[in-house]
Amino acid sequence: MAKKKEDVSRIKEKSVIIRPISKNGGLDSIHLALIVLVIVLVLLIAAVSYTKEVIIKNESASNCTYGSVNGTCSSPISNPSQIKAAFESIVASYSTSASSLSIVPYLSNTSTISVQYLPASKEWLAGISGYNPATKQSFYLETLINDSDNSKFIPFIEIAKPANLSQNKLVSTGVIQLANKYSCLQKNPVQVFWFIDPYSPGAIASLSNMTALEKRFNGSVNVTMKMLYTQASVGIAKQYGIVNAQALSGYLFCASLQPNFGKFSENLNSIYTNSYISPQTLASIANQTSLNNTQLSSCLANYPQVFERQNLLSSYYNITTSPAVITNCEYESLPQTAQNAVCYANSSLC
């Protein structure tokens, strides 16, 4: 009986059953399937990330040639060369201005021209610097030029727009290439026309520039004087008569045809006071210079006809101010920049 009770108590005691680890690491088939599914998804995502094309939008557009607007590169209609050509025409157009601005093209330095596109307004900012030797001051001219229509522009620094936009171009410092004009048939020596009204301010003084130019190029240029009749001579004619007013022009032109012209212009400049000079005084200067009187008298007698032809030539080049210089029949400059014109017309001389 005692033995039976002992067997019963052994059956009621709790026990721990330990099973050996199977070949699946203790995981059943369901857990294995879930793990395999996760691995497949990870591999799939990795594969997609390496094969999909990635598009990066450059919001800053820092590498744009002409800048950007709202992160998009700008594409102007005009290019810098076209804007430079348009700006050269704008600057050259000031030469026909009936104001002090007419001097701007001749004082501007073409090597300083700069152009920059403004994408926000679709305009170009063009600029050029210059120097006025009379006032010893530098200046800078800036102009906004429309990208789609280069004939539309706005000058800065409160400078007035030229009355008419010409097709002339500023091609070198102080040198304008005249539109629809062609180079001289005679290439050597380079032809230079020196237009002056001797009673206009600076005309007589420019004769020293003329002789210096001839000396500088030593026969490689042929300078001929062309006389003008501007308001300066009109004022003299009202007081002394047109014949007396034109006497100075006649003597200058005829003396320029003789070898001693340099000496004649020096003697004239030494007594000139920006006022009327009588024919008697001019004859005295001619005698002191030892000009050929026979040749001088013949030239003076024919000068009225010569003067008419010279006025037609000045009209052809639209020369209305004195002094002015035309080089190689197509480049206009001031006496002070005539050397630049010669060098531009024939670079082998410089």
Side-chain angles (χ1 to χ4, degrees):
M1 192 67 181
K3 186 175 179 181
K4 186 182 284 187
K5 289 181 179 180
E6 183 180 356
D7 292 338
V8 173
S9 62
R10 187 182 299 116
I11 291 172
K12 291 180 178 180
E13 184 180 351
K14 294 182 179 179
S15 60
V16 177
I17 302 175
I18 301 175
R19 296 177 180 178
I21 298 177
S22 67
K23 63 179 181 179
N24 294 327
L27 300 174
D28 56 25
S29 60
I30 295 177
H31 287 87
L32 284 173
L34 289 174
I35 292 174
V36 171
L37 180 60
V38 170
I39 293 174
V40 171
L41 289 174
V42 170
L43 292 176
L44 182 61
I45 292 173
V48 171
S49 66
Y50 277 102
T51 58
K52 185 179 180 180
E53 181 180 1
V54 178
I55 301 175
I56 300 175
K57 185 176 180 181
N58 183 6
E59 292 295 334
S60 63
S62 58
N63 294 325
C64 297
T65 302
Y66 297 107
S68 63
V69 177
N70 296 328
T72 303
C73 287
S74 299
S75 299
I77 298 174
S78 303
N79 59 48
S81 296
Q82 292 171 321
I83 296 301
K84 183 176 182 292
F87 186 55
E88 289 171 345
S89 294
I90 292 171
V91 177
S93 298
Y94 281 102
S95 65
T96 58
S97 174
S99 68
S100 59
L101 295 176
S102 62
I103 200 72
V104 167
Y106 305 105
L107 303 179
S108 301
N109 187 347
T110 52
S111 65
T112 64
I113 291 180
S114 63
V115 295
Q116 180 181 4
Y117 184 60
L118 306 178
S121 60
K122 296 183 178 180
E123 294 173 308
W124 292 81
L125 179 63
I128 189 171
S129 63
Y131 178 76
N132 188 341
T135 61
K136 297 182 179 180
Q137 291 181 333
S138 299
F139 65 89
Y140 193 74
L141 172 63
E142 285 186 321
T143 302
L144 279 177
I145 302 176
N146 187 281
D147 179 46
S148 59
D149 185 354
N150 299 161
S151 65
K152 296 180 179 179
F153 62 95
I154 302 174
F156 277 177
I157 62 171
E158 298 182 358
I159 190 170
K161 292 176 65 174
N164 297 300
L165 183 59
S166 71
Q167 294 180 331
N168 299 339
K169 289 186 177 181
L170 186 68
V171 294
S172 183
T173 300
V175 182
I176 295 174
Q177 184 175 21
L178 301 174
N180 303 318
K181 301 295 185 289
Y182 306 95
S183 60
C184 299
L185 294 177
Q186 183 178 340
K187 302 297 183 182
N188 189 22
V190 176
Q191 300 300 305
V192 178
F193 304 148
W194 208 272
F195 289 90
I196 67 166
D197 178 340
Y199 283 113
S200 63
I204 296 299
S206 78
L207 298 180
S208 61
N209 299 100
M210 176 178 164
T211 53
L213 188 73
E214 292 176 311
K215 184 178 180 180
R216 161 70 174 82
F217 292 102
N218 192 26
S220 296
V221 300
N222 179 35
V223 183
T224 55
M225 189 174 295
K226 310 295 182 182
M227 312 312 295
L228 296 172
Y229 190 68
T230 67
Q231 285 300 118
S233 285
V234 170
I236 297 295
K238 289 180 178 179
Q239 297 184 55
Y240 302 97
I242 189 169
V243 174
N244 288 331
Q246 290 187 337
L248 179 55
S249 296
Y251 269 88
L252 274 173
F253 172 76
C254 293
S256 70
L257 303 178
Q258 298 195 29
N260 289 340
F261 173 69
K263 185 64 176 177
F264 177 85
S265 62
E266 287 181 10
N267 291 340
L268 175 63
N269 196 29
S270 65
I271 68 166
Y272 185 66
T273 59
N274 298 314
S275 58
Y276 170 69
I277 298 181
S278 68
Q280 294 76 16
T281 302
L282 292 168
S284 176
I285 296 174
N287 289 329
Q288 294 175 4
T289 311
S290 299
L291 294 180
N292 185 315
N293 287 325
T294 301
Q295 183 180 346
L296 179 64
S297 298
S298 176
C299 179
L300 289 173
N302 295 316
Y303 176 69
Q305 292 77 21
V306 173
F307 179 74
E308 290 299 325
R309 293 196 297 269
Q310 292 180 342
N311 267 266
L312 289 176
L313 186 63
S314 64
S315 298
Y316 172 73
Y317 287 113
N318 196 29
I319 303 294
T320 57
T321 58
S322 168
V325 182
I326 298 293
T327 300
N328 198 32
C329 301
E330 62 175 336
Y331 301 111
E332 183 177 353
S333 68
L334 293 179
Q336 294 84 350
T337 59
Q339 178 175 316
N340 297 345
V342 173
C343 292
Y344 189 84
N346 189 345
S347 59
S348 65
L349 299 178
C350 304

